[in-house]
């Protein structure tokens, strides 16, 4: 299934500066694998060494934070927008 992935500015060096790319996959894990196949290095910026979403990265499938649904097993229906959003901290 084809989905649209919004890429934050900090990760656009992996996509040639493009802010939105198309990826394939029925789950978030499959989409991230497809992103990695087409934009080498991006997956390591989203997932930690244990293969889980990094603590300071938020991922949404549509309007749903994947941490509150099925994580990497979250379904990615045809045409859905996936947003990768790095957390911002400061004081």
């Amino acid at each position: 299934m084809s989905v649209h992935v919004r890429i934050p500015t900090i990760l656009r060096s992996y996509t040639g500066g493009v802010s939105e790319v198309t990826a394939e996959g029925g789950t978030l894990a499959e989409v991230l694998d497809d992103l990695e196949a087409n934009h080498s290095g991006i997956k390591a910026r989203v997932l930690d060494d244990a293969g889980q979403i990094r603590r300071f990265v938020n991922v949404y499938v549509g309007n749903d934070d994947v941490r509150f649904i099925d994580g990497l097993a979250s379904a990615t229906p045809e045409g859905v927008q996936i947003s990768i959003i790095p957390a911002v901290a400061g004081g």
Side-chain angles (χ1 to χ4, degrees):
M1 291 183 224
S2 182
V3 298
H4 305 282
V5 184
R6 294 198 45 88
I7 306 297
T9 303
I10 197 162
L11 298 180
R12 290 182 190 162
S13 60
Y14 297 98
T15 61
V18 178
S19 64
E20 185 171 302
V21 297
T22 301
E24 300 289 327
T27 66
L28 179 58
E30 292 172 359
V31 168
L32 291 174
D33 286 341
D34 189 62
L35 274 179
E36 181 64 22
N38 293 297
H39 307 285
S40 183
I42 197 167
K43 186 175 175 181
R45 300 294 175 231
V46 177
L47 301 182
D48 62 19
D49 293 337
Q52 298 302 310
I53 297 171
R54 289 184 179 275
R55 184 175 175 195
F56 297 108
V57 175
N58 299 306
V59 180
Y60 291 83
V61 173
N63 293 322
D64 297 318
D65 184 333
V66 298
R67 284 190 171 91
F68 300 108
I69 48 176
D70 293 323
L72 293 171
S74 297
T76 53
E78 180 75 28
V80 75
Q81 183 170 43
I82 297 171
S83 300
I84 300 171
I85 304 170
V88 178

